[in-house]
Amino acid sequence: MKSIIVFFVFLFSPLTIAEANLKIFCSAKANSCLWLKERMYELHGIKSEMIVKSSGEVLNIIETGAENFDIWWGGTGDTHLKAAESGFLAPITLKRKQDQLFWSRHLLDISKGRSVGVYAGILGIIVNKKVLSDLKLDVPLCWSDLGKTTYKNQIVLGDPNTSGTAYTFLSTLFQIYNGEKIRQILPEIKQNIRKTTNSGYQAILPLIEGENAISIAFIHDVISLLDKYEDLDVIIPCEGTGYEIGAASVINSSKNKEKAINFIELSMQPNIQNLLSSDIGLQIYSNINTVKSGAYNDEKYFNLINYDFFTYSRPMVRKRTLEFWNRLD
Amino acid sequence: MLNQSKSNTIKYYFLLSFFIISVFSVIFFTIQMLNYDRERKLYIEKSTHNSLLFAAMELMQISQNLTGLDQRRSASLYAKEYEKVESEYNDVLSILNSLNEEDYQKEVKNLLVEFSEFNSEIKVRNDYLYRRNNLKVILENSLDLSTSEENSNLLNIIKLSLESKNMLALGEYYRDLSSAFSMSNIPHAEREKIQEISFGSMNAFDTMEKIISVNVILNRHLNDLIYKTDFLRATISKTITRDDKIPKNESHYYGYILIAIILIFITYLYTANKNLFRKLYIISSKIKSDLPISYIRIHHKQNRTKTSKEKKFDETLFNIKLSKIILDKKKSNFIVVDDENFPFCCSTSIFDENFKNLENEALDTKILTASIYDNHYFLSKKTPQNTAIFDCDIAFSVDIPNENKTILFLNSEKDERLRQNDRLNSLASISGTVAHDINNMITVIVSSLSILRESKYLTLHSDRKVIDSALFSADKSIGLIDRLLTFARCKRLAPEIVDVNALLEGLYEVISFATNDNVTVEYELSKQPLFTYIDPGQLETSIINLCLNSSNAIGESGFIKIKTEVNSINQLSIIVEDNGHGIPKSIQGKVFEPFFTGRKQGEGHGLGLSMVYGFVTQSGGSITLDSQVGKGTTISISFSLKKT
């Protein structure tokens, strides 16, 4: 019995974990996280433990104290920026910063060197055409259409408090509609919501099942499903849409900061990103020499707003935006 | 006898109690009146304070309109209007300073700092936009003349990247270009050129990165400025509405009670004790003379004292009904007429404009000092022999309840001018944005055409002819846009000290050449030289424009007289006068609007006068138009006089 206890104490001692594995919160899709873990070991011999959680959840954990974790990989940039501004992230210096595209470097700049953009994804309205036609409803073409009373109980989306996707949706609307207009549109949309889910990706599942007609998600999360589920379709709203920059950061309390930075830099090379971009995650990846995304191969997806990551990641703005949403009932 | 004595004692106590009640009532009534008077004085002070705050709010609104913050217009327009915004806000500051509103002052100062930062960012963005436009021109020329498909594909990617509106799309173009570039087999010279444009010293991608970054920052600041300006205005507005209650004169109710008591008392006393009645009469007269409104007779032809009934009527009318309606309508030009349309009373401005000359002949006038907005003249009926017709422009009328009198609120020239200025300002803002954007586009067209025309690949004469014709039209468009920009006050002026008389003398031949042969041009210039600080080129164009308009208005033959003088407010005036067909009153308010023309379609663009208006306004001057159909038109432009 004693030997068993000694074994477990050894197994979970911080020293063992720190030296053997990097502990990573991964807020990207689960299969991307798993592939990243395996590929990094295969190419560079780096062992890691991946905990898959939505970006909002990771932010909450970090804010309450995430001991023994080294890296936060993936998840919407605004949550990383908020953690950076609150002092939970360590500075990163990239050896080949010039290989990264403008948006990746931009995130590094506005986070004061604490988060770097790894991938990007575009937000869209995902519809189930069959449910819409059964209910004799039109396909929504704009964000403002989502507030129509005919879509009552037809929208499923992530909870903006925990889902980066849903927060991106909220801040996109705030950036498109200012002042009084947003006060009018958002309550109308909230009245049409059937339920909210923990993460943005989970919001697609009831749509596939035909439980509801409309969900809000990142396009790369659903593009691979379009062939399998013919009823699904992606709509780019007429007002233009927002996008996420998935970031990677080193947690301030990490005891393996150098290793962690190295992991992040290596994860931003084409030999890691190529397959993630073309086949697994399907997001737009940050290295200039990485192949193009398998999802965003059409010009129509790039009807984007000039998204202000800095403002909507500020703790006060985020708090105000979420409070505004939470108060609507 | 005893009974009579007892009856007298009862009568005495009865009288005494009446007397005491009357005295208390009088004291109470006087206190009420004094209170009312004090409240009204406070209200007047408060309303002056409020109207100044309101003016500050209005100035902030003007600044918002100037910068287009309310409509989120092109930021480039803002850069041109910044100085005006600064001056508007300095006016707001001086108003707030005079009112000792320190908190508001602080917020306005912060706003000014933010406007200035916003302005510097716009300047940075404009520099990059200028670089982008140059890149576009180079690219367009390279694209058109390129023979290689591969080369053209690469240049197309750069061209698309120059139109990017967001970081993600720009990144994808960069990726596309990098991969296409590494795979292409284009010749060395062309390769170097593309390298130079995209990643080298011209660096299209770097330029676009800067533009997109600054756009995000500008948008953020714009939202901030809108929020802060709106918030400040809303706060001031709340202060105004909170204090903006008109004090109610409820003292007349007490007055009625008092009068009732006194009447009963008098009736009783009249039969009981005449001496006491006399004493009370004296007291009551004294109280009456303490009423807060008094009349000062300034002229009374018949030297007749008004009956107390008439006085009472005027007093009630003024105190209760008239002033309330005037305050409600917030319009200071009014005339009160009776049921036969005879004037009864009017505001000073109306009196000065229309009745002053009649004063000694037919009117019985007096002035009320206890006025709220203005001094109100009371007029007696005109004698039938001296009936004059008063031509007035009525905005709206209000019947005074139960008085057989109507208040006519009149449109004053000042109101009309303000409305016209507002309309022209809005038009200027819109025209400025449109003109500026079109101007940018036409500049690219002209540059491209000019380069294309000089190209060695262009061998055919007919091709050059086509390009020349395109250049000619583009030049014409630039001329139009230029005038529109002048109207919108977006034109960059180059002011200097100018002797206006010398400038006009130099212009005589040009004007004579430009005007029709049947028109005589006459000068009546002041003897001493008149200097002002102005853009001489634009002033010349303006004078020529005015003369051309005059020339077109003259039918068979006529004259144009150009005069210079120092006007009553010590400003330099240039007056262009003609004896043409004149402009009907109904369209006089529109002549300065762009594209408004009285000529046939195709004969004019209607930009001449609007250009003059824009230039004069931008130069800090003023322009007035006086025209009578069949007699001619006089346009006067005035600028501040400089002494050298």
Side-chain angles (χ1 to χ4, degrees), chain A residues 101-103 105-106 120 122 178 243 245 284-288 290-292 299 302 304-311, chain B residues 72 160 165-176 178 208-213 215-217 219-220 223 227:
Chain A
L101 286 170
F102 169 41
W103 49 263
R105 286 180 276 118
H106 177 71
I122 296 169
N178 285 280
Y243 57 95
I245 293 179
I284 299 163
Y285 274 84
S286 63
N287 197 296
I288 292 164
T290 299
V291 296
K292 289 193 85 163
E299 281 283 316
F302 289 86
L304 306 174
I305 60 166
N306 202 359
Y307 196 95
D308 184 354
F309 288 96
F310 180 73
T311 303
Chain B
R72 303 172 74 80
L160 287 169
K165 297 274 188 294
N166 59 75
M167 294 186 273
L168 225 51
L170 184 69
E172 288 310 280
Y173 290 128
Y174 197 109
R175 201 195 302 276
D176 287 346
S178 294
M208 289 312 294
E209 281 181 19
K210 291 284 186 324
I211 291 172
I212 291 169
S213 303
N215 275 346
V216 174
I217 295 167
N219 207 31
R220 189 185 303 150
N223 284 336
Y227 175 76

Side-chain angles (χ1 to χ4, degrees), chain B residues 72-117:
Chain B
R72 303 172 74 80
R73 281 200 314 265
S74 135
S76 52
L77 186 66
Y78 170 86
K80 299 205 184 308
E81 300 289 359
Y82 173 67
E83 278 177 24
K84 281 179 198 159
V85 172
E86 203 179 17
S87 111
E88 299 289 354
Y89 270 89
N90 281 325
D91 288 347
V92 173
L93 266 181
S94 62
I95 291 174
L96 294 174
N97 188 32
S98 69
L99 298 175
N100 288 326
E101 293 281 5
E102 284 175 12
D103 289 347
Y104 292 151
Q105 269 188 74
K106 215 171 172 182
E107 286 180 49
V108 169
K109 274 181 190 162
N110 288 340
L111 269 174
L112 257 173
V113 171
E114 287 197 32
F115 270 115
S116 147
E117 283 171 7

